[in-house]
Amino acid sequence: MSFFTIQWKKDGIEILDQRLLPAVERYITLKNPAQVVDAIKTLAIRGAPAIGVAAAMGAALGARHIRAGTTKEFLSDFDGIVSFIASARPTAKNLFWALDRMKRRAHGEIGGAGDIIVALEAEALAIYDEDIRTNEAIGRHGRDLVSDGDTVLTHCNAGALATAGYGTALGVIRAAVSSGKRIAVIAAETRPLLQGSRLTVWELMADGIDVTLITDGMAGYCFKEGLIDKVITGADRIAANGDTANKIGTYAVSVLAKEHRVPFYIAAPCSTIDTKTATGSGIPIEQRHPDEVRSFMGVQSAPPGVAVKNPAFDVTPAANIAGIITERGVIRQPYTKNIPMIVGDDD
Ligand code: MRU
């Protein structure tokens, strides 16, 4: 790949600043948990798995700067850093999954602060490495669901930019293309922050994968014209019954897919599945600043002060989902029965 999303460096965490793409390809270094939280909140780094990796690395970075007299005080300060990073965004399960893992590693370590710091760096790097392998496995399981000649609609960005690398929904596309299938992608723009046009199109074009951009409102036209064979999106949190939170607009796409009898798939790692949340109604939906809707790429596009709704995610009911492609295989309905068989209780 000609770019990387996130990397652990001696002096901090280097990320590709996704706020500037596609116009500017600039890497920035995050040096402390406050900078990590700001980068997550402002979407300099985004996408559920990438947020998890950034959070884990942010926690490891924060641990280095703790000045505590005893191991007990060290762990208490570390838990404070973890809670702070957890406040960055509410919806993506991977954020909390990664931080729980970091906390377990810190508290399970025998030894003093120095040993814990070393262990936390190793854990953050393991989360990073595993994410890439996980996405490749998602790709292997998902590629058989798409046929040679298919056109696949995707919404938002569930690609290399949303993960440590390779991507989930785009990982399936990459794996299908690598296996010799001719696949075309239709990328929905994804208002208000344009993850589809700015990010998905950018990374697919960089890979030479056939991609066509539409605005979100054109999806209905494309389904009606028979232009879409499959839908594959990522997920931010999947409830125990299969209801899935993903980028705002995903629900509407799933309803269109159902109406037009087009299979709608979710591609996500098991770390996105939240078996402790029974249904989608229990998933916290982030509400973002109204100015994101009142403007378009920083240019005012509505009268100032107009009332706005800006939920960042919506929930697609399990009934609309033909399958959930994970690194352990494709989960089919009934999800309440089949999710525990794949995930167990290690969320
Ligand atoms: O607000 P974002 O850009 O973080 O939203 C991202 C999405 O909704 C993605 O589809 C999801 O996180 C899956 S990424 C593999």
Side-chain angles (χ1 to χ4, degrees):
M1 284 217 156
S2 56
F3 64 90
F4 64 85
T5 304
I6 182 164
Q7 260 183 18
W8 179 253
K9 289 279 166 82
K10 272 198 180 68
D11 60 339
I13 307 163
E14 201 175 343
I15 62 163
L16 177 55
D17 187 344
Q18 298 189 29
R19 296 167 296 197
L20 307 176
L21 288 172
V24 178
E25 205 173 315
R26 190 175 76 195
Y27 291 87
I28 52 175
T29 303
L30 313 173
K31 303 211 167 187
N32 54 53
Q35 289 179 355
V36 172
V37 167
D38 183 67
I40 295 174
K41 279 187 180 184
T42 60
L43 274 53
I45 185 151
R46 33 66 52 203
I51 291 171
V53 172
M57 289 184 176
L61 202 57
R64 277 186 191 169
H65 300 291
I66 296 173
R67 299 284 167 261
T70 64
T71 306
K72 201 173 161 204
E73 280 165 16
F74 178 91
L75 286 171
S76 157
D77 286 1
F78 180 69
D79 290 353
I81 291 169
V82 165
S83 303
F84 171 58
I85 298 174
S87 71
R89 292 185 79 186
T91 305
K93 168 70 181 163
N94 309 61
L95 171 66
F96 308 99
W97 170 86
L99 289 172
D100 280 352
R101 200 167 141 172
M102 295 298 282
K103 235 170 128 168
R104 275 203 304 276
R105 182 71 189 254
H107 286 262
E109 196 60 29
I110 306 159
D115 304 300
I116 299 174
I117 289 167
V118 171
L120 286 170
E121 289 187 11
E123 192 70 13
L125 285 173
I127 289 172
Y128 170 91
D129 285 337
E130 284 168 27
D131 189 57
I132 298 174
R133 284 202 303 277
T134 292
N135 295 331
E136 288 167 351
I138 289 172
R140 282 193 297 278
H141 290 295
R143 69 185 170 200
D144 295 339
L145 298 173
V146 286
S147 309
D148 188 29
D150 270 359
T151 297
V152 178
L153 173 72
T154 192
H155 189 76
C156 194
N157 172 265
L161 289 166
T163 60
Y166 203 67
T168 56
L170 298 193
V172 172
I173 306 283
R174 287 195 165 95
V177 169
S178 301
S179 73
K181 290 178 184 169
R182 286 160 303 143
I183 305 293
V185 176
I186 293 183
E189 178 184 45
T190 318
R191 268 287 279 156
L193 297 178
L194 308 180
Q195 288 93 333
S197 58
R198 293 191 305 105
L199 308 177
T200 294
V201 169
W202 182 77
E203 67 165 272
L204 288 179
M205 285 179 78
D207 264 12
I209 294 175
D210 179 347
V211 58
T212 300
L213 174 65
I214 59 168
T215 66
D216 300 346
M218 294 170 190
Y221 169 90
C222 292
F223 278 104
K224 195 141 190 283
E225 291 295 306
L227 303 179
I228 298 166
D229 300 299
K230 309 275 156 53
V231 179
I232 310 178
T233 77
D236 286 84
R237 195 186 290 232
I238 301 169
N241 72 341
D243 290 351
T244 295
N246 190 50
K247 179 53 56 193
I248 191 75
T250 305
Y251 167 62
V253 170
S254 81
V255 172
L256 282 167
K258 196 174 187 184
E259 169 74 14
H260 293 276
R261 296 189 169 76
V262 168
F264 176 103
Y265 295 103
I266 294 291
C270 291
S271 51
T272 303
I273 300 177
D274 179 2
T275 55
K276 295 193 173 63
T277 296
T279 70
S281 60
I283 298 176
I285 299 295
E286 177 183 9
Q287 304 291 327
R288 292 186 62 88
H289 198 282
D291 283 348
E292 291 180 351
V293 178
R294 292 186 189 122
S295 62
F296 182 84
M297 297 297 289
V299 177
Q300 188 186 323
S301 56
V306 62
V308 157
K309 281 202 190 307
N310 190 13
F313 304 98
D314 57 27
V315 175
T316 294
N320 293 4
I321 301 169
I324 301 171
I325 309 161
T326 74
E327 70 274 28
R328 298 183 197 162
V330 180
I331 311 177
R332 300 281 189 176
Q333 295 182 22
Y335 296 114
T336 306
K337 177 167 158 271
N338 292 337
I339 282 177
M341 285 165 61
I342 293 265
V343 178
D345 57 1
D346 62 345
D347 67 318

